[in-house]
Amino acid sequence: MHNNADKILSIINYIEEHLTEKIDLDEIANVVHYSKYHLHRMFTNIVGFTVHNYIQRRKLTEAAKLLVLSNRSIIDIALLSGYKSQRSFTTAFKMLYKKSPNAFRECGEFYPLQLKFVLQNFETTLFPARMMEIKIVSHDEIYLVGYMTDTKKGFGKIDECWTKLHKIKNSIPNKINGDFLIGINDYSDDFSYESERPRPVHYAAAEISNFNNISKDMITKVIPMNKYVVFTYRGKIQDHIYPVMKYIYKVWFSQSTSQLNDYARYDLVRYGEIADDNGLSIIEVWIPILSSNS
């Protein structure tokens, strides 16, 4: 007898095989012999989206790929994606990608917002499945102040930096964006192409408007203006971020046309200071990428 996870995986495969067709909750419930209620509850809890939302996100992600990597007309892509008109397709596409299909095609850069769900194990899959938003942004310089450690001295030193920062975070002068603290893994000084797990310099920091009146025992850092792909999700601050980074670099980038910026060798993570009733905060992972014309 198949368990619910097995059934959900069979549904995922069914959706992939019929992405260019009109499929809905009723049809899928009949295929797997589940009630709509049970299917909805199981699918939403395991995948992180309703059946309808997941199908729409998959269709539009594949449409985005065709916009950049093919010469098909927008109306052809709209019809192939199951939309009856270019207008309805454009409306749905803008809701997900925040720009029109034509503008997305002109940018010439494909990035997937919903890859096919893969249930490897709950610990490593729930993060990517429940990404709230993925977007590409350009950002001005970021001024930071905090504490730094070289992880060659051991990753345990990272906790010491954060402990020191939390003790004085409310008294940092010129602090802005107070709802977030920032962690950075900086690989620029000693990046090794031979190491499978490089040991970066780590910063635990707060964002500030300027460096006036900063305590002498704190480190200051300027992050230059850059283009980023930003992954937003809800998580517990104390949870290890490795599964998220593994998904981003191993899965997401492999399906995207975005390229890492060799002149910005760091990962930046914004940790929300406000948690909900379940202890979950907004967490944003910012990865520097090349501009399309680089």
PDB file of all heavy atoms in Angstrom, residues 116-127:
ATOM      1  N   LYS A 116       9.986  21.464 -10.363  1.00  0.00           N
ATOM      2  CA  LYS A 116       9.239  20.268  -9.997  1.00  0.00           C
ATOM      3  C   LYS A 116       9.597  19.878  -8.569  1.00  0.00           C
ATOM      4  O   LYS A 116      10.770  19.788  -8.207  1.00  0.00           O
ATOM      5  CB  LYS A 116       9.567  19.125 -10.952  1.00  0.00           C
ATOM      6  CG  LYS A 116       8.884  17.818 -10.589  1.00  0.00           C
ATOM      7  CD  LYS A 116       9.352  16.674 -11.486  1.00  0.00           C
ATOM      8  CE  LYS A 116       8.743  15.350 -11.052  1.00  0.00           C
ATOM      9  NZ  LYS A 116       9.257  14.217 -11.853  1.00  0.00           N
ATOM     10  N   PHE A 117       8.572  19.649  -7.753  1.00  0.00           N
ATOM     11  CA  PHE A 117       8.801  19.282  -6.356  1.00  0.00           C
ATOM     12  C   PHE A 117       9.433  17.897  -6.272  1.00  0.00           C
ATOM     13  O   PHE A 117       8.996  16.961  -6.935  1.00  0.00           O
ATOM     14  CB  PHE A 117       7.474  19.283  -5.600  1.00  0.00           C
ATOM     15  CG  PHE A 117       7.598  18.925  -4.137  1.00  0.00           C
ATOM     16  CD1 PHE A 117       7.962  19.879  -3.210  1.00  0.00           C
ATOM     17  CD2 PHE A 117       7.354  17.629  -3.711  1.00  0.00           C
ATOM     18  CE1 PHE A 117       8.079  19.556  -1.871  1.00  0.00           C
ATOM     19  CE2 PHE A 117       7.466  17.301  -2.372  1.00  0.00           C
ATOM     20  CZ  PHE A 117       7.825  18.260  -1.456  1.00  0.00           C
ATOM     21  N   VAL A 118      10.492  17.795  -5.475  1.00  0.00           N
ATOM     22  CA  VAL A 118      11.176  16.517  -5.272  1.00  0.00           C
ATOM     23  C   VAL A 118      11.225  16.241  -3.775  1.00  0.00           C
ATOM     24  O   VAL A 118      11.782  17.022  -3.007  1.00  0.00           O
ATOM     25  CB  VAL A 118      12.607  16.533  -5.840  1.00  0.00           C
ATOM     26  CG1 VAL A 118      13.303  15.215  -5.563  1.00  0.00           C
ATOM     27  CG2 VAL A 118      12.576  16.807  -7.336  1.00  0.00           C
ATOM     28  N   LEU A 119      10.624  15.148  -3.363  1.00  0.00           N
ATOM     29  CA  LEU A 119      10.595  14.785  -1.942  1.00  0.00           C
ATOM     30  C   LEU A 119      11.765  13.856  -1.651  1.00  0.00           C
ATOM     31  O   LEU A 119      11.669  12.640  -1.779  1.00  0.00           O
ATOM     32  CB  LEU A 119       9.269  14.100  -1.601  1.00  0.00           C
ATOM     33  CG  LEU A 119       9.048  13.748  -0.128  1.00  0.00           C
ATOM     34  CD1 LEU A 119       9.002  15.010   0.730  1.00  0.00           C
ATOM     35  CD2 LEU A 119       7.774  12.960   0.056  1.00  0.00           C
ATOM     36  N   GLN A 120      12.898  14.461  -1.266  1.00  0.00           N
ATOM     37  CA  GLN A 120      14.058  13.652  -0.878  1.00  0.00           C
ATOM     38  C   GLN A 120      13.925  13.249   0.579  1.00  0.00           C
ATOM     39  O   GLN A 120      13.976  12.099   0.948  1.00  0.00           O
ATOM     40  CB  GLN A 120      15.338  14.450  -1.122  1.00  0.00           C
ATOM     41  CG  GLN A 120      15.545  14.770  -2.593  1.00  0.00           C
ATOM     42  CD  GLN A 120      16.698  15.717  -2.790  1.00  0.00           C
ATOM     43  OE1 GLN A 120      17.091  16.466  -1.894  1.00  0.00           O
ATOM     44  NE2 GLN A 120      17.258  15.702  -3.988  1.00  0.00           N
ATOM     45  N   ASN A 121      13.779  14.238   1.410  1.00  0.00           N
ATOM     46  CA  ASN A 121      13.367  14.020   2.800  1.00  0.00           C
ATOM     47  C   ASN A 121      12.829  15.343   3.294  1.00  0.00           C
ATOM     48  O   ASN A 121      13.123  16.391   2.740  1.00  0.00           O
ATOM     49  CB  ASN A 121      14.511  13.500   3.686  1.00  0.00           C
ATOM     50  CG  ASN A 121      15.675  14.462   3.754  1.00  0.00           C
ATOM     51  OD1 ASN A 121      15.523  15.570   4.245  1.00  0.00           O
ATOM     52  ND2 ASN A 121      16.832  14.039   3.249  1.00  0.00           N
ATOM     53  N   PHE A 122      12.033  15.296   4.332  1.00  0.00           N
ATOM     54  CA  PHE A 122      11.345  16.500   4.762  1.00  0.00           C
ATOM     55  C   PHE A 122      12.310  17.602   5.159  1.00  0.00           C
ATOM     56  O   PHE A 122      12.102  18.761   4.882  1.00  0.00           O
ATOM     57  CB  PHE A 122      10.414  16.185   5.944  1.00  0.00           C
ATOM     58  CG  PHE A 122       9.014  15.903   5.495  1.00  0.00           C
ATOM     59  CD1 PHE A 122       8.721  14.744   4.801  1.00  0.00           C
ATOM     60  CD2 PHE A 122       8.016  16.800   5.752  1.00  0.00           C
ATOM     61  CE1 PHE A 122       7.433  14.496   4.373  1.00  0.00           C
ATOM     62  CE2 PHE A 122       6.714  16.557   5.328  1.00  0.00           C
ATOM     63  CZ  PHE A 122       6.423  15.395   4.639  1.00  0.00           C
ATOM     64  N   GLU A 123      13.405  17.252   5.804  1.00  0.00           N
ATOM     65  CA  GLU A 123      14.303  18.273   6.329  1.00  0.00           C
ATOM     66  C   GLU A 123      14.889  19.129   5.212  1.00  0.00           C
ATOM     67  O   GLU A 123      15.025  20.334   5.347  1.00  0.00           O
ATOM     68  CB  GLU A 123      15.437  17.624   7.126  1.00  0.00           C
ATOM     69  CG  GLU A 123      16.377  18.633   7.772  1.00  0.00           C
ATOM     70  CD  GLU A 123      17.445  17.969   8.585  1.00  0.00           C
ATOM     71  OE1 GLU A 123      17.462  16.729   8.671  1.00  0.00           O
ATOM     72  OE2 GLU A 123      18.276  18.698   9.134  1.00  0.00           O
ATOM     73  N   THR A 124      15.254  18.509   4.082  1.00  0.00           N
ATOM     74  CA  THR A 124      15.911  19.272   3.036  1.00  0.00           C
ATOM     75  C   THR A 124      14.934  19.803   1.995  1.00  0.00           C
ATOM     76  O   THR A 124      15.301  20.648   1.197  1.00  0.00           O
ATOM     77  CB  THR A 124      16.963  18.414   2.296  1.00  0.00           C
ATOM     78  OG1 THR A 124      16.310  17.297   1.705  1.00  0.00           O
ATOM     79  CG2 THR A 124      18.031  17.941   3.244  1.00  0.00           C
ATOM     80  N   THR A 125      13.692  19.336   2.001  1.00  0.00           N
ATOM     81  CA  THR A 125      12.788  19.720   0.927  1.00  0.00           C
ATOM     82  C   THR A 125      11.799  20.808   1.340  1.00  0.00           C
ATOM     83  O   THR A 125      11.371  21.588   0.520  1.00  0.00           O
ATOM     84  CB  THR A 125      12.010  18.487   0.427  1.00  0.00           C
ATOM     85  OG1 THR A 125      12.938  17.466   0.083  1.00  0.00           O
ATOM     86  CG2 THR A 125      11.191  18.826  -0.802  1.00  0.00           C
ATOM     87  N   LEU A 126      11.450  20.906   2.605  1.00  0.00           N
ATOM     88  CA  LEU A 126      10.441  21.862   3.010  1.00  0.00           C
ATOM     89  C   LEU A 126      10.866  23.296   2.724  1.00  0.00           C
ATOM     90  O   LEU A 126      10.046  24.138   2.406  1.00  0.00           O
ATOM     91  CB  LEU A 126      10.116  21.699   4.499  1.00  0.00           C
ATOM     92  CG  LEU A 126       9.260  20.479   4.847  1.00  0.00           C
ATOM     93  CD1 LEU A 126       8.998  20.431   6.337  1.00  0.00           C
ATOM     94  CD2 LEU A 126       7.933  20.508   4.106  1.00  0.00           C
ATOM     95  N   PHE A 127      12.170  23.585   2.844  1.00  0.00           N
ATOM     96  CA  PHE A 127      12.624  24.950   2.581  1.00  0.00           C
ATOM     97  C   PHE A 127      12.335  25.375   1.155  1.00  0.00           C
ATOM     98  O   PHE A 127      11.641  26.349   0.932  1.00  0.00           O
ATOM     99  CB  PHE A 127      14.119  25.091   2.895  1.00  0.00           C
ATOM    100  CG  PHE A 127      14.408  25.165   4.363  1.00  0.00           C
ATOM    101  CD1 PHE A 127      15.037  24.126   5.001  1.00  0.00           C
ATOM    102  CD2 PHE A 127      14.055  26.285   5.090  1.00  0.00           C
ATOM    103  CE1 PHE A 127      15.300  24.188   6.365  1.00  0.00           C
ATOM    104  CE2 PHE A 127      14.319  26.372   6.451  1.00  0.00           C
ATOM    105  CZ  PHE A 127      14.946  25.310   7.087  1.00  0.00           C
TER     106      PHE A 127
END
